[in-house]
Amino acid sequence: MTGNMDELPMRYNINASLIYDAADGSILLPDSSTPDTQLSITASALLLFFLQHQEVVSRNEVLKKVWDDKGLTSSNSNLNQYLSLLRKTFRHYGIDNIILTISRGNLQLNPDIAIEPQVDSLPHAAPEAENAAQTVAIPTEDKQHSVAERGRWKIHWNIASVALIILSLLILPLTLINRLNPIFVSPVSDSEQGCELIGTTDMIGTVTILAYENNFASVLRRLNLTCNSGQRYVFFYDDKLQTRGLGRVFLAHCASHNTVSYGYCDNYFYYSWVPQ
């Protein structure tokens, strides 16, 4: 008897005197629902292999199927130990040599022992379960519509994600502007008046005015911008810029108007800035 173990019976009547249940490795007496003996996992796997392969098999095949294929360490010593255990267990029930050693070390389930698979004990799907499966079955056409619908939703979510990112970039300058605090006119150019430099209260509270102005000048040089009269700058960065490490930088370069404070601005964002 050979084949896929998942397709074969899991309960066997042995010599019309014992019931072996491979599901849990138990051995039961007829007309009893309580196990009389409980085999270990390995001993049960070894017995099940011989019940499903009643022809002559080599020791290497047994080691491969029962140990190696299950990720266990195989050895002839282990095989001999469990063969002895199975023979001793069934001898207790009056069955001698349940597994025979054939010439050249081959092995075989004792052909004199009557083995009757209990096919009727295999679990069957309940009619209710079968009906339920039929009820929830989705026609191929509906499945295609479902896949297409998921694809459309995925595109919509991607568009929404991009829109949120753009919106967040637009909101950031507005958020900073709402917290602006005019600080001073920076004399960092040749112009006598210079440009108007504005920062947030939180920003100015974390650095000295000199450090703030020096970093502003460094950013202007990197961007090839000037600080002249009529120009307004909003400058913000995190504290890593002070220690010449990587830091985030936001700079808004705006035209200065009396009526419209921030009518037009060029915004610069940097997420890893190294001042020079």
Side-chain angles (χ1 to χ4, degrees):
M1 182 184 300
T2 60
N4 189 327
M5 293 178 62
D6 293 335
E7 299 174 354
L8 294 174
M10 297 299 287
R11 288 173 67 94
Y12 296 83
N13 188 316
I14 301 177
N15 252 12
S17 60
L18 298 172
I19 302 296
Y20 165 67
D21 190 343
D24 59 3
S26 60
I27 297 176
L28 301 87
L29 298 175
D31 302 325
S32 174
S33 59
T34 303
D36 192 68
T37 297
Q38 192 76 43
L39 297 177
S40 67
I41 295 176
T42 302
S44 179
L46 182 60
L47 176 60
L48 181 61
F49 173 82
F50 282 105
L51 291 172
Q52 296 179 343
H53 302 81
Q54 297 183 21
E55 70 280 7
V56 176
V57 294
S58 67
R59 296 176 69 90
N60 286 338
E61 183 179 358
V62 177
L63 290 171
K64 180 179 184 302
K65 296 295 184 181
V66 179
W67 275 271
D68 295 341
D69 288 356
K70 294 180 173 61
L72 303 175
T73 302
S74 63
S75 69
N76 278 305
S77 175
N78 284 340
L79 177 55
N80 291 336
Q81 176 183 351
Y82 283 102
L83 286 173
S84 176
L85 176 62
L86 288 178
R87 289 165 180 159
K88 180 179 180 180
T89 298
F90 283 92
R91 191 178 301 119
H92 173 74
Y93 296 105
I95 300 175
D96 291 328
N97 295 321
I98 187 170
I99 299 173
L100 301 175
T101 298
I102 313 300
S103 59
R104 298 182 180 178
N106 294 327
L107 301 168
Q108 184 182 19
L109 184 73
N110 192 334
D112 295 333
I113 298 175
I115 305 296
E116 182 182 353
Q118 295 189 328
V119 179
D120 292 338
S121 66
L122 286 174
H124 296 283
E128 295 81 359
E130 294 177 357
N131 293 335
Q134 294 174 359
T135 301
V136 300
I138 303 175
T140 302
E141 184 177 356
D142 291 344
K143 290 180 180 178
Q144 292 174 348
H145 289 313
S146 178
V147 171
E149 187 67 21
R150 288 197 298 270
R152 286 194 293 269
W153 274 107
K154 184 176 181 180
I155 293 174
H156 293 162
W157 276 112
N158 289 339
I159 294 174
S161 299
V162 173
L164 286 174
I165 293 174
I166 295 174
L167 181 61
S168 65
L169 292 177
L170 294 175
I171 290 176
L172 177 59
L174 296 177
T175 303
L176 290 173
I177 288 172
N178 287 335
R179 299 166 60 191
L180 292 180
N181 179 25
I183 302 303
F184 56 91
V185 175
S186 173
V188 296
S189 70
D190 294 335
S191 170
E192 294 182 0
Q193 183 177 0
C195 58
E196 184 178 357
L197 178 59
I198 300 174
T200 66
T201 303
D202 293 341
M203 178 73 253
I204 302 304
T206 60
V207 296
T208 65
I209 295 297
L210 179 61
Y212 184 69
E213 182 180 3
N214 288 339
N215 285 326
F216 170 65
S218 174
V219 171
L220 287 186
R221 287 194 297 271
R222 289 284 295 273
L223 296 176
N224 293 319
L225 298 176
T226 60
C227 178
N228 297 319
S229 177
Q231 295 177 322
R232 174 180 288 120
Y233 285 95
V234 179
F235 184 45
F236 177 87
Y237 60 89
D238 67 11
D239 56 359
K240 292 183 180 180
L241 191 63
Q242 296 177 245
T243 57
R244 304 189 64 80
L246 298 180
R248 295 173 299 170
V249 170
F250 167 73
L251 178 70
H253 177 202
C254 310
S256 178
H257 298 285
N258 294 330
T259 57
V260 182
S261 299
Y262 303 97
Y264 176 79
C265 299
D266 289 325
N267 298 322
Y268 301 87
F269 299 90
Y270 289 89
Y271 289 96
S272 59
W273 179 278
V274 180
Q276 294 179 343

